[in-house]
Amino acid sequence: MSVSVIEAALVAPSFRQLAWQEIEFYGFIHFTVNTFTDKEWGTGEESPQLFNPTELDAAQWVAACKSAGMKAIILTCKHHDGFCLWPSEWTDHSIKSSPWRSGEGDLVREVSDACHEAGLKFGIYVSPWDRHEPCYGDSERYNSFFLNQLHELLTGYGELFCVWFDGACGEGPNGKRQVYDWDAYYSLIRKHQPHAVISVCGPDVRWCGNEAGHTRKVEWSVVPATLQDNEKIQANSQQLEGDEFSRRIGSDEEDLGSRHVLAEAERVVWYPAEVNTSIRPGWFYHENEDALVKSTEELVDLYERTVGGNSTFLLNLPPDRRGLIHENDEQRMRELGERLGRMYRRNAAAGSRVVASVCKSEEHEGSRITDGLKETYWRPSAGIEQAWLEVELGGKQMIDRIVLKEYLPEGQRIEKFHLEWFDGEKWQTFYEGNVIGYKKICRFEPIETERLRIQITESRWYPTVSECSVYWTRMEEKHEPDRG
C-alpha cells in the first residue's frame, strides 16, 4: 500500500502545530543540581542542599531570550536526576528541600510569570526518567507518580505552548525497565493544555535527529506515521556510555517525505521538525565553557538554516551558579537579535506588483504574496502543478536573500522550484531549491535587479505561496550561499 500525491497534499497541520511553527525561535533553559555539581547528567543521589543560586533572576533570563528575537521559553522543570524546580507534593527531592528562598521558592512559577509579563510563551520539559524516585521501574506505580507530577505542572502555571519529552529510559532500583504510559500522559496534556504541542516523544513535533544543529536540505512536514513511534525514539535516544550520554538517532535518513517515500508508506501525518542545540558545548553551565559560546555568525547561520529550512529553532541557554545567564551568553543573544534585525529590516518586495502565469481566481492572484497578510495566498486551479510568479521591485535593488512561504493550512506541496532574475535581456537562474513549507530563506550571492521570477517546476496537485519577501542583508553579514 502506498500514499498518493493528492493524499499527501491534503495533510495539514493542527491549530496547535501551526501556532507552534509561527513561534519560529525559542529558548531552552537547562538548570538544576547539575549546575552545581558541574555535570551534564545527575545520578539522582545529589542533595537538594546543593541547589542555592545566589542571584537568580528569571526576568534576566527572559530579557536575554527576548533580545535575540525569541518568542517563547521551555524550562527543564525536572531532568533525569529527578530534582524538581517546583515544590512538588509527591516528592521531597525538590527546591522545597533546598536553601534557595529558604525552601519556599517555586522556580517554575518565577519563570512562568516572567515569560507572561514579557509577552513570551512558556513551555515545560519534564523527564519521564527519574533516577531518584524509588518506584521507578515499577511501571504502574511510577506512571501514577509521574501523572501526579505532570498534573501539577499542567494546572499550576498558566497556559503552556509546549510539553517537551525525551525518550531517555533506564532501569529502576528493582532492576526492571520502566514502561511509560505515553497514552495516559498525552491524554492528561490534551485535557488540561489543549493548545500545547507535545514535542519529540509526542505526536505533534518531531526531533530533527541530532543535537548539533544539523538541518536537512529537504525537510518535509508530511512524513510517514511510523516516525511518531515514540518507542523507536526511546530505543535510539539518549544512551549511557561510561559517564557520558549522547543522542543516537542518526541524520543519515535525509529523505523523509519524497514521492519515493510516499510510495512505501502506509499512512502519512503532519509531523514537523524542531532543531535543538546549545549555545555552548554542554546543556548545563560549566565555567570552563565560558569562552566557547557560539559566535554571532554561527547563530545567524543556524537561524537561517532552521527557521529558514521549514523547522523551528530551539536554542539552549544554561544559567550559571548565580542563577543568571552568563555575560558572554547574554551579549551573544543581544548581538544575534541586533544582527537579525538589521538583516531583515526592509522588505524590498513589500506591496510589489506580481504577475502570475495562472491563478484560480482574483482572491488568489499573484499580488497576495506581497501584501503582508498571512491569511492570503496565491494558488492555481487544482491539477496545475507548474507555474511562475514574476515580482516587480519598482526599480533596481541589491538583494541576497529571498524568503518564501507556503500557505500551510492547505498543506505542504512545493517539491522543486528555482529563482530567476532579469538582466535586461533575458532571465537568468540564480537559485535552485526543493521544498518551501512554512518558510524557506534562500541565500545567494548578491545580485542587482528590478524583476524576479519564481518558477515552480514540481508540486503536489497544486502549489500555494503566501509570501515572497526580498532583502539586502549587507555584505558584512558573511555567510556561505547555499544552492537549495
Side-chain angles (χ1 to χ4, degrees), residues 182-366:
W182 293 110
D183 288 341
Y185 305 166
Y186 299 163
S187 178
L188 192 68
I189 295 166
R190 292 290 194 242
K191 177 181 178 181
H192 294 291
Q193 294 288 341
H195 294 278
V197 292
I198 307 172
S199 296
V200 184
C201 271
D204 298 319
V205 175
R206 167 170 53 88
W207 183 47
C208 69
N210 70 96
E211 294 178 340
H214 169 80
T215 54
R216 293 179 180 85
K217 297 196 92 174
V218 180
E219 188 69 80
W220 282 99
S221 295
V222 179
V223 298
T226 52
L227 287 176
Q228 289 180 317
D229 182 359
N230 50 58
E231 293 303 323
K232 178 183 177 184
I233 295 173
Q234 175 179 302
N236 292 280
S237 185
Q238 298 186 15
Q239 304 293 327
L240 183 60
E241 185 175 278
D243 290 331
E244 299 295 328
F245 292 76
S246 61
R247 290 284 189 179
R248 296 302 185 193
I249 294 180
S251 58
D252 54 336
E253 294 182 62
E254 290 291 310
D255 180 7
L256 297 180
S258 71
R259 293 191 183 211
H260 173 74
V261 172
L262 296 181
E264 298 180 351
E266 294 187 0
R267 187 170 68 92
V268 291
V269 293
W270 191 274
Y271 200 34
E274 172 190 83
V275 176
N276 63 319
T277 193
S278 184
I279 199 169
R280 291 163 172 252
W283 290 91
F284 289 93
Y285 175 81
H286 308 288
E287 186 177 1
N288 62 4
E289 294 178 355
D290 283 351
L292 301 177
V293 177
K294 285 182 171 62
S295 69
T296 306
E297 289 72 21
E298 287 178 290
L299 293 172
V300 169
D301 179 63
L302 274 166
Y303 173 88
E304 292 192 312
R305 286 191 290 108
T306 54
V307 175
N310 193 39
S311 303
T312 60
F313 184 20
L314 175 58
L315 179 65
N316 179 64
L317 298 173
D320 60 24
R321 294 183 182 185
R322 298 171 299 173
L324 299 174
I325 302 298
H326 190 272
E327 290 81 357
N328 294 355
D329 308 56
E330 187 179 35
Q331 178 181 349
R332 201 55 41 81
M333 295 294 281
R334 185 167 55 251
E335 291 170 353
L336 173 61
E338 291 172 351
R339 180 78 63 88
L340 291 173
R342 289 197 304 270
M343 291 172 67
Y344 292 99
R345 177 181 296 121
R346 178 181 173 271
N347 172 16
S352 291
R353 181 172 180 265
V354 180
V355 177
S357 61
V358 63
C359 60
K360 181 184 178 185
S361 64
E362 184 177 343
E363 180 185 359
H364 297 295
E365 64 185 12

Side-chain angles (χ1 to χ4, degrees), residues 61-185:
W61 304 0
V62 171
C65 291
K66 194 169 183 177
S67 72
M70 291 178 174
K71 299 176 184 176
I73 288 176
I74 297 173
L75 175 67
T76 55
C77 302
K78 185 182 81 164
H79 205 249
H80 310 319
D81 51 77
F83 184 77
C84 299
L85 297 184
W86 77 101
S88 175
E89 177 186 342
W90 303 98
T91 181
D92 289 330
H93 197 58
S94 78
I95 57 172
K96 68 184 179 185
S97 300
S98 78
W100 180 68
R101 304 278 195 257
S102 301
E104 299 296 321
D106 185 340
L107 184 50
V108 180
R109 167 73 58 207
E110 293 192 20
V111 179
S112 171
D113 287 350
C115 283
H116 294 141
E117 288 170 12
L120 270 62
K121 296 182 182 297
F122 178 63
I124 61 172
Y125 165 111
V126 54
S127 170
W129 190 13
D130 191 324
R131 305 183 80 186
H132 175 82
E133 177 53 39
C135 73
Y136 186 90
D138 184 337
S139 293
E140 185 175 349
R141 286 182 59 206
Y142 179 75
N143 282 325
S144 177
F145 168 85
F146 184 75
L147 285 166
N148 286 330
Q149 289 200 320
L150 188 57
H151 183 271
E152 291 177 325
L153 292 170
L154 295 174
T155 60
Y157 300 95
E159 184 170 343
L160 305 177
F161 86 96
C162 175
V163 178
W164 208 100
F165 290 132
D166 66 30
C169 183
E171 294 180 352
N174 60 5
K176 294 182 180 180
R177 192 173 184 85
Q178 174 69 32
V179 178
Y180 299 138
D181 189 351
W182 293 110
D183 288 341
Y185 305 166

